[in-house]
Amino acid sequence: MSPIRLLVLGAVRQHGRAHGYQVRNDLEYWGAHEWSSAKPGSIYHALKQMTKQGLLIAHEVAPSTVGGPPRVEYELNDDGTAEYFRLLRDALSSHEQKSDELSAGLGFMVDLSRGEAVALLRERVSGLERWRSAVTVYYTPEAGPEQLGHIGELMNLWVHSADGGVRWTRGLIERIESGAYTFAGEGEPFVGVLADDEPNPFAADRQPEGIH
């Protein structure tokens, strides 16, 4: 899956209704432009595409002050909400997800119940362990991956990545089971979006201090 769909749907959902610049601002606030494909062009394209696909409702809310088209606010409908949760569950449970896809899922995991989040992460652990076992059984020479020359380092990379993924995921499960974070149905969630008029200190086009 591409993380952009989950990121955009999640950002719109957190606002209830949001225009394109709000979505872009939130994703840059989260740093998603650094670790995913969430660039301005892809964000606006995703909003328009998912509106055509029947996942978002587009509301024209105000005429442009510079003579352009009216501003559009987007809202998830029932199909969009179902797609959001499908993508979220897949991002957390699948061991095949890339780091940007998993990162997107982590950003919204508290929209699930605590128990479901743990169950999905346990699926990820099981998948990683099955994958590691299959790789080492079928692809590792009896004398070790070094028998493949420098190509054997690919095996070392795969195995260490799987082992690291398992350790990290188990640690996250332990933290969640110990009561970390506020999940759905437990109280006021953590607010990770900016108000419409709130400046974004992490905007992609913000110049570092001292540069003018």
Side-chain angles (χ1 to χ4, degrees):
M1 88 176 197
S2 169
I4 189 66
R5 289 171 67 88
L6 175 56
L7 287 167
V8 168
L9 288 171
V12 172
R13 184 176 183 273
Q14 288 199 9
H15 282 283
R17 278 171 58 159
H19 55 79
Y21 184 76
Q22 281 180 303
V23 175
R24 172 188 170 182
N25 211 33
D26 285 341
L27 297 190
E28 290 180 354
Y29 182 55
W30 303 337
H33 59 294
E34 299 288 351
W35 50 262
S36 78
S37 60
K39 304 299 188 289
S42 61
I43 292 169
Y44 292 114
H45 175 73
L47 286 166
K48 292 177 180 179
Q49 182 185 51
M50 288 191 287
T51 300
K52 290 180 181 178
Q53 293 171 344
L55 303 177
L56 293 171
I57 302 170
H59 303 274
E60 293 186 354
V61 295
S64 170
T65 58
V66 293
R71 191 174 75 172
V72 177
E73 288 186 348
Y74 298 90
E75 178 183 12
L76 271 69
N77 58 20
D78 289 345
D79 288 342
T81 300
E83 176 69 358
Y84 166 72
F85 280 105
R86 184 190 71 79
L87 292 171
L88 174 56
R89 290 173 175 123
D90 191 48
L92 294 175
S93 63
S94 175
H95 70 282
E96 298 177 335
Q97 299 291 20
K98 297 178 181 178
S99 61
D100 56 352
E101 295 160 356
L102 176 60
S103 296
L106 293 174
F108 299 115
M109 68 177 180
V110 294
D111 285 347
L112 303 169
S113 70
R114 185 177 300 271
E116 183 176 12
V118 167
L120 293 168
L121 290 167
R122 284 180 174 155
E123 283 185 40
R124 182 173 189 271
V125 169
S126 296
L128 284 168
E129 290 177 333
R130 288 193 304 270
W131 181 84
R132 186 194 191 283
S133 177
V135 166
T136 53
V137 167
Y138 293 109
Y139 297 103
T140 306
E142 290 184 5
E146 291 76 15
Q147 299 302 305
L148 298 174
H150 70 281
I151 302 302
E153 291 301 332
L154 292 173
M155 175 64 65
N156 288 330
L157 172 62
W158 297 341
V159 169
H160 283 289
S161 295
D163 290 344
V166 167
R167 285 193 300 271
W168 174 83
T169 308
R170 284 178 172 164
L172 175 57
I173 291 171
E174 182 177 343
R175 291 188 291 278
I176 293 173
E177 290 184 323
S178 297
Y181 318 120
T182 303
F183 285 80
E186 297 181 348
E188 289 298 319
F190 174 80
V191 178
V193 298
L194 296 166
D196 197 11
D197 57 351
E198 186 177 357
N200 180 4
F202 307 114
D205 56 359
R206 179 178 181 269
Q207 290 184 330
E209 293 184 9
I211 298 177
H212 304 286

